[in-house]
Amino acid sequence: MSETGTGDEKEPTVAEADEPSQGPPVPDGESGKSGAGWKRWLKRIALASALILLLPTLAAATALRLNYTGDPADGTYTRNRDAIWLGHAWVDGRKTDKDVTALAERLKTTGIRDLYVHSGPLEHDGTLPKSSYPGARRLITTLHSAAPRIRVQAWLGDKLANETPDGLHLDRGATRDAVVRSTREILATGFDGVHFDLEPLHSGDQDYLTLLDSLRAVTRDRGVPLSVAAHQIDPLPALHWVAGALTGHPKWWSQEYFGQVARRVDQIAVMSYDTAMPLESLYGGYVAQQTSLALEVTPPSTDLLMGLPFFHENKLGHRAAAETVPAAVRGVRLGLSRTDADRANFGVALYVDFAATEADWTAYEKDWVR
């Protein structure tokens, strides 16, 4: 009995099986052609399809691995413009003055200038209750005294209603106006700037650009920086469009859109983690590419920061053993070396304080601060 289980089929000759003009064997109504030939043809199609999918993946992996080779240029270390994202505990009363003093002491041996202190999230209508940041003024005062060179920025964000109906609607003018009012209110508390992280933010979103123009007017009036967290840039042309079409979640921004955002802000921090890379070398090569792509379109007057993974969870898009601080720092230095080694307004941003280990801090200080 053949593998098809019919028992009355004959195997075709080699010529019958391999003849291109014949196509796949078709069952004959009277005698029937062999199911084995049909199965062989399907296996060939499967193999060809696998190669079509595998070869570009292998090519991309090879390119990333090569991107991780070589030596970074001399002097590609901190410019003392680094930043760190801090959790909400710093403004809701959980952290004490002792904690703030310890933080200031730790920052002395780093290149960190900006603290993004989580002070939200925004409500879906763009408002921000003052009850969200009751300890902000005390934190700012204590840090200004203990570490005068440090800028304390209010980190605000919310889930956008781009992929689900629930969230903040940037397409509504009233919502954007409310975000601007919330920014004025929180800056009045004494923050040295404001840092926005709105996700998922699709490439080409013009409402976001409109919001940034309005926010820039507020921050310029107060003489403080407008800072944003940015999505990664397409590692392949139009990848954000392909991802959006296939999954409904266009993870990346086009390089052009990244530049449009960078020109509207004083500081832009790339969330260069959660890349799904399986190996340190591939992750480091990816970060090197992201650094180069971002440098190419970020104005020299805008601070460009590349994110470092100071967290260790394992999930679909993040493998802790691959996305390490040493790999990220080496990738940043390689990208900086190849694209604009002397860029002054450049740094790294550490995500996030409450998940960081001593090994993360040591690697950052050893490989980047030196």
Side-chain angles (χ1 to χ4, degrees):
M1 181 181 289
S2 70
E3 292 182 1
T4 58
T6 59
D8 62 351
E9 297 161 335
K10 63 179 181 178
E11 182 171 343
T13 65
V14 172
E16 290 173 327
D18 292 343
E19 178 58 49
S21 62
Q22 296 295 322
V26 179
D28 188 301
E30 296 181 1
S31 60
K33 299 225 177 167
S34 171
W38 173 259
K39 187 171 183 179
R40 187 182 301 113
W41 183 82
L42 289 178
K43 285 182 177 179
R44 289 173 182 169
I45 294 297
L47 178 60
S49 300
L51 288 174
I52 290 173
L53 295 174
L54 183 61
L55 289 177
T57 302
L58 291 175
T62 300
L64 291 179
R65 182 63 184 86
L66 290 174
N67 215 28
Y68 195 57
T69 60
D71 297 319
D74 293 338
T76 50
Y77 303 113
T78 186
R79 276 81 163 128
N80 295 311
R81 293 175 177 269
D82 304 333
I84 183 171
W85 282 276
L86 300 180
H88 201 80
W90 293 95
V91 295
D92 67 4
R94 281 177 286 169
K95 294 292 186 179
T96 65
D97 287 349
K98 183 178 179 180
D99 294 318
V100 177
T101 301
L103 174 64
E105 187 65 26
R106 157 143 268 168
L107 297 178
K108 287 181 180 179
T109 59
T110 72
I112 293 174
R113 178 184 62 169
D114 288 293
L115 309 182
Y116 305 143
V117 185
H118 191 269
S119 306
L122 295 164
E123 298 292 325
H124 289 344
D125 62 1
T127 60
L128 180 64
K130 292 185 178 180
S131 58
S132 297
Y133 49 96
R137 191 178 296 277
R138 182 179 180 183
L139 170 70
I140 297 165
T141 300
T142 305
L143 274 173
H144 281 172
S145 175
R149 71 180 180 89
I150 297 297
R151 299 190 305 193
V152 188
Q153 298 197 42
W155 166 17
L156 302 179
D158 191 21
K159 180 184 75 171
L160 295 178
N162 284 338
E163 297 172 11
T164 62
D166 183 38
L168 189 147
H169 286 265
L170 285 182
D171 56 319
R172 298 174 182 172
T175 300
R176 296 195 302 271
D177 290 343
V179 173
V180 173
R181 286 194 300 272
S182 297
T183 301
R184 287 197 182 96
E185 292 170 0
I186 201 166
L187 286 176
T189 305
F191 279 104
D192 302 310
V194 62
H195 174 81
F196 279 92
D197 177 16
L198 301 172
E199 303 179 46
L201 185 55
H202 295 178
S203 183
D205 191 321
Q206 297 301 304
D207 295 316
Y208 181 59
L209 299 183
T210 299
L211 174 64
L212 291 180
D213 289 337
S214 299
L215 291 171
R216 189 74 178 275
V218 173
T219 56
R220 278 182 169 173
D221 184 58
R222 294 190 63 90
V224 298
L226 171 61
S227 174
V228 296
H231 289 299
Q232 298 157 28
I233 302 172
D234 282 339
L236 297 173
L239 189 58
H240 72 281
W241 183 88
V242 175
L246 294 178
T247 69
H249 176 61
K251 173 183 176 67
W252 299 272
W253 286 354
S254 71
Q255 190 183 38
E256 178 186 9
Y257 187 67
F258 187 98
Q260 291 174 348
V261 173
R263 290 191 293 273
R264 286 171 164 80
V265 299
D266 301 293
Q267 188 178 69
I268 186 166
V270 184
M271 296 180 286
S272 42
Y273 38 76
D274 290 342
T275 65
M277 292 294 145
L279 301 172
E280 273 190 297
S281 58
L282 299 184
Y283 173 62
Y286 183 87
V287 172
Q289 182 199 38
Q290 286 292 307
T291 302
S292 293
L293 290 171
L295 281 167
E296 288 171 357
V297 292
T298 301
S301 59
T302 299
D303 286 341
L304 171 63
L305 307 182
M306 302 303 297
L308 299 187
F310 267 44
F311 64 103
H312 301 272
E313 63 185 27
N314 287 292
K315 56 184 181 180
L316 181 62
H318 179 90
R319 186 167 183 267
E323 296 193 21
T324 66
V325 174
V329 170
R330 177 172 167 77
V332 167
R333 294 188 62 211
L334 287 169
L336 181 63
S337 301
R338 294 164 182 159
T339 313
D340 192 353
D342 297 323
R343 177 75 67 110
N345 294 336
F346 184 86
V348 296
L350 290 44
Y351 182 84
V352 57
D353 75 302
F354 55 79
T357 65
E358 285 300 319
D360 294 330
W361 283 102
T362 299
Y364 159 69
E365 292 178 7
K366 174 178 175 291
D367 297 342
W368 179 248
V369 180
R370 302 179 71 88

